[in-house]
Amino acid sequence: MSFVDRYLAVWILVSMAAGLGLGRLVPGLGDALAKVTVTGVSLPIALGLLVMMYPVLAKVRYDRLGTVTGDRRLLVPSLVLNWVLGPALMFALAWIFLPDLPEFRTGLIIVGLARCIAMVVIWNDLACGDREAAAVLVALNSVFQVFAFSLLGWFYLSVLPGWFGLEQTVLDVSVGEIARSVLIFLGIPLAAGYLTRRLGERAKGRIWYETQLLPRIGPFALYGLLFTIVVLFALQGDAITSQPFDVVRIALPLLVYFALMWAGSMALGKAVGLDYPKATTLAFTAAGNNFELAIAVSIATFGATSGQALAGVVGPLIEVPVLIGLVCVALAARRFFPDPGPSAASPSVVPEGPSRV
């Protein structure tokens, strides 16, 4: 194992601290990063996410996707968890924990509506989840995100609060903006990964592709992850460090959300008979959120310095360390699942690495 792989959890925490420090100590850094944008998110973050996702999606065996798309025990729970229970739970937690802070509350609800399509592929790989299943569920979330995000935003911010006599908010975001975000953060790396495998196997065969090429490009997923974390926290480092009590208020419902969504999804996967790799994929795709979309929507609608945008940024501040911790919990929970056999297991992003994360 490389030095970075061996101490991955440490480097993630160091990257978070470095980003916060840079954002706090370097005058104008956050503003400079924010000016170079793609759909409201800084271009450096977009590049980091693309570098992070490409190696993992290049590892997907696309000829196996058919076995996943027909598995209703996986697809139906995933849709219910992501598009019914997840947004409803975040709505409830936002109102329970932040009844007196409408900007933060709205930002959290937007985070709950943005289902994960990017960083989840890293957590899933580190936890030895089913890589093909993750590709299918992420693609499914993407399609639903394009058509359901605006509708759910209208329902949870304008309609449902009115039924209970609560404060209502208007979210102005078009289907085109959501589709553009999905295209950038999933479409580009997915197409690149698919073409790399297709052309690589056609040129030199699967054995060469998986034993020679993949080990060379694999480490860039972790480098992209660390780079993204540094840039993300540098972007809002000053806001986060200057408002610690607000960050704590926002963090509490997020901690409850991640714990309930992940543990509940993992338990549901076992209850419906999924093996460990698929149950793990179900849990991480349900617990993770599309923070880049949530931040982009919050900035575009309410402004870069708004409380809604700050809540979006605190999302990954809490999600990154919590989900890396849940990777360790997932690996420890493997003993509660029957062994699916070597053919059904997905290797991790780093050979033998996840067991030592």
Side-chain angles (χ1 to χ4, degrees):
M1 294 176 63
S2 70
F3 188 63
V4 172
D5 302 334
R6 191 184 305 274
Y7 300 103
L8 177 60
V10 175
W11 299 128
I12 286 178
L13 294 177
V14 169
S15 298
M16 292 171 60
L20 289 173
L22 287 171
R24 180 72 177 181
L25 299 175
V26 180
L29 178 60
D31 293 336
L33 291 173
K35 288 179 181 178
V36 187
T37 62
V38 177
T39 66
V41 176
S42 72
L43 182 58
I45 289 180
L47 293 175
L49 288 170
L50 296 181
V51 172
M52 178 190 75
M53 293 180 66
Y54 163 66
V56 180
L57 292 172
K59 293 179 181 181
V60 172
R61 292 190 174 184
Y62 293 92
D63 55 348
R64 293 183 178 177
L65 295 184
T67 62
V68 178
T69 56
D71 191 347
R72 293 185 178 180
R73 294 180 304 170
L74 176 66
L75 298 184
V76 173
S78 178
L79 289 174
V80 172
L81 287 166
N82 274 287
W83 297 103
V84 179
L85 295 181
L89 176 61
M90 189 68 89
F91 173 84
L93 292 173
W95 274 99
I96 291 171
F97 283 89
L98 302 170
D100 58 329
L101 297 171
E103 290 190 356
F104 297 158
R105 184 178 64 237
T106 298
L108 276 186
I109 293 172
I110 293 173
V111 170
L113 298 177
R115 312 312 300 169
C116 198
I117 65 170
M119 199 170 282
V120 68
V121 297
I122 290 288
W123 311 133
N124 181 71
D125 250 32
L126 290 172
C128 297
D130 188 311
R131 190 175 293 133
E132 287 69 39
V136 170
L137 295 185
V138 164
L140 196 62
N141 273 348
S142 303
V143 173
F144 270 77
Q145 201 147 243
V146 170
F147 296 103
F149 185 90
S150 297
L151 179 62
L152 289 175
W154 166 75
F155 176 74
Y156 280 105
L157 293 174
S158 299
V159 177
L160 189 57
W163 292 353
F164 296 101
L166 302 173
E167 183 180 351
Q168 298 166 283
T169 306
V170 176
L171 182 65
D172 184 18
V173 57
S174 70
V175 171
E177 290 174 304
I178 306 303
R180 183 170 53 183
S181 175
V182 169
L183 176 63
I184 292 172
F185 294 116
L186 178 64
I188 293 175
L190 182 62
Y194 173 78
L195 290 174
T196 300
R197 177 172 280 278
R198 187 70 180 270
L199 297 176
E201 287 188 353
R202 180 180 296 178
K204 294 195 174 183
R206 175 164 290 185
I207 294 177
W208 173 87
Y209 181 84
E210 296 192 346
T211 61
Q212 299 295 321
L213 182 60
L214 288 184
R216 294 178 183 177
I217 65 175
F220 286 95
L222 299 183
Y223 302 151
L225 171 64
L226 298 178
F227 174 80
T228 301
I229 291 171
V230 171
V231 174
L232 179 66
F233 289 102
L235 187 64
Q236 292 284 346
D238 183 65
I240 292 173
T241 55
S242 63
Q243 303 177 60
F245 294 108
D246 290 339
V247 170
V248 171
R249 290 286 304 273
I250 298 168
L252 289 176
L254 284 169
L255 287 171
V256 176
Y257 173 84
F258 292 132
L260 290 178
M261 285 298 293
W262 188 89
S265 302
M266 198 75 167
L268 177 60
K270 182 173 176 58
V272 299
L274 296 178
D275 59 21
Y276 170 80
K278 287 186 177 179
T280 298
T281 300
L282 178 66
F284 279 100
T285 52
N289 291 90
N290 187 352
F291 65 82
E292 60 272 16
L293 174 60
I295 295 172
V297 170
S298 295
I299 290 175
T301 305
F302 304 102
T305 60
S306 65
Q308 292 87 344
L310 177 61
V313 172
V314 174
L317 172 70
I318 304 305
E319 178 176 332
V320 169
V322 168
L323 291 190
I324 194 65
L326 289 175
V327 167
C328 299
V329 175
L331 292 168
R334 279 188 292 188
R335 64 182 184 274
F336 299 111
F337 289 80
D339 185 1
S343 62
S346 279
S348 71
V349 69
V350 182
E352 300 182 4
S355 62
R356 305 182 190 181
V357 169

